[in-house]
Amino acid sequence: MLTRHLLKQASTCRHFLSNSKTSSPFLTKSILFSSSSSSPESQSPTNTFVDDKVNDQYPTGTSISIDRSALYNLPDHSHEPTSDSELVKHLKGIIKFRGGPISVAEYMEEVLTNPKFGFYISRDVFGAEGDFITSPEVSQMFGEMVGVWAMCLWEQMGRPKQVNLVELGPGRGTLMADLLRSASKFKSFTESLHVHMVECSPTLQKLQHHNLKCFDEDDNSDGVEKRTVSMLAGTPVSWHALLEQVPSGMPSIIIAHEFYDALPVHQFQRASRGWCEKMVDVSEDSMFRFVLSPQTTPATLYLMRRCKWAAPEEIEKLGQIEVCPKAMDLTRTIADRISCDGGGALIIDYGLNGVVSDSLQAIRKHKFINILDNPGSADLSAYVDFASIRHSAEEVSEDISVHGPMTQSQFLGALGINFRVEALLQNCTDEQADSLRTGYWRLVGEGEAPFWEGPDEQVPIGMGTRYLAMAIVNKKQGVPVPFQ
Ligand code: SAH
């Protein structure tokens, strides 16, 4: 009964989508144009919660296309202009002292998460004032629907008294804030939760603390560890740099939204001598450039593993392949935890259900730029290889089942986003109604919104089919909603 009801929702959603005007396979992250009231409180999420009574503004947005880069030969030496940023100096230092180029994955990891200079480490990169916009920032409905998914899984788990609710890479904390706020009416659920935020950026950890309305309980000096509690639902919250640091021994519900796409990828290129790894080097005029590795690199092991999971025809037609060892290893850690402790994981990202060829892109201030251009000043992200996630999880244990991927539009539609948007539209201002419609289109639509009457450059572009959802669960719980 429930399944039929959910499927009906999904098909309503698809019907709505068929009205779309255009779509591009190259659109990925959403880019926001905003005339917006640039809020002095850049600490707060871009979207503002709309309840039956509460009001606020949403900005509008659109998306962009992809970037490509070229290959050259190895240089003899490099020199460093004094205008280089600290991160650029650091990267050139690694290449110089190691006596040769570094992998694209190492470059990507340093650029994004270097503890001192990484892109994510010291600032808020999201929303109108930042570099790109994500679904939780587009509309509160995204976090609410993920909350419905988490609650359904908790029901399927038999309503355990204690659960780790883990979010990997929570950004501003908007998804978790919307989830907790909407779930706060379901006390038995929220009372079971301990929220764990896995976040490498101290700046974003602070922002998450603020947006989850956390307070640190007074230290009574009675030997009991001080707790941090979110006032949104009365749940304890902890922060960690790694998933491995989240306590085990109780079931976990793990959410990874736009986390996998930030994990470093190795790029391989087909050459006359076989697959060669693409590396980053410094040219004679001190510029970064790509070169091909003359020898086999350690990441080739992961390339071989990835190719084993694919049909030969799928590989034969490709001139380039990306592999993400960190995604494979993370998935194994997730699957292992779920297999031992119970629970499940939800992964939502843009990507393919198959081998990814050449997808790495750099985004700065809502525009695509060259990957090697002023590293640290732009986000780097790559398509997620969902087939590789499936294989990595399935190899861990027989107790695990993997579901999807399905499109974000099917996922949110099946969870009832149509009902939610209609309920919110019943009681809001005209301005909020516009924002809700725009946000709804961005989350579930495909291509440009057909109802848009504003300026062309601000037309909302749907993320509904570009983003995919996949679940990994312990088989004990059966098939998770809405993957039945
Ligand atoms: N999920 C959020 C943010 C996505 S951006 C949203 O959808 O809005 C990626 C997030 O992952 C950022 O919070 C970034 O700081 C974090 N992150 C990236 N690499 C990480 C790593 N290796 N370990 C922990 N956090 C990481």
Side-chain angles (χ1 to χ4, degrees), residues 29 109 112-113 120-121 125-126 132-137 142 167-175 198-201 204 208 240-242 256-259 261-264 326 379:
K29 278 199 165 160
E109 187 165 10
L112 292 183
T113 57
Y120 284 119
I121 299 305
V125 295
F126 307 92
F132 57 89
I133 181 131
T134 59
S135 293
E137 304 298 330
F142 188 79
E167 187 176 357
L168 306 179
R172 284 176 164 176
T174 310
L175 186 158
V198 177
E199 174 57 67
C200 64
S201 158
L204 291 175
Q208 292 154 14
H240 316 270
L242 297 168
H257 179 258
E258 288 219 27
F259 180 71
D261 71 280
L263 298 178
K326 292 243 161 160
D379 184 33

Side-chain angles (χ1 to χ4, degrees), residues 41-109:
E41 204 202 2
S42 68
Q43 303 283 306
S44 63
T46 310
N47 70 337
T48 309
F49 189 73
V50 179
D51 204 356
D52 299 327
K53 303 170 203 80
V54 189
N55 321 317
D56 241 308
Q57 290 183 327
Y58 288 67
T60 55
T62 186
S63 302
I64 43 171
S65 62
I66 207 162
D67 167 77
R68 297 276 181 266
S69 300
L71 296 174
Y72 297 91
N73 295 318
L74 278 161
D76 294 335
H77 68 276
S78 67
H79 40 252
E80 293 167 17
T82 46
S83 59
D84 281 351
S85 70
E86 291 304 315
L87 180 66
V88 169
K89 281 187 205 154
H90 173 70
L91 284 164
K92 287 181 178 174
I94 299 177
I95 293 169
K96 188 171 163 192
F97 292 115
R98 200 165 302 157
I102 55 173
S103 67
V104 170
E106 188 174 355
Y107 174 82
M108 185 173 174
E109 187 165 10

Side-chain angles (χ1 to χ4, degrees), residues 177 180 195 211-215 228-237:
L180 292 179
V195 172
N211 287 334
L212 291 183
K213 308 221 177 314
C214 284
F215 66 93
T228 298
V229 175
S230 164
M231 288 195 287
L232 296 174
T235 48
V237 185

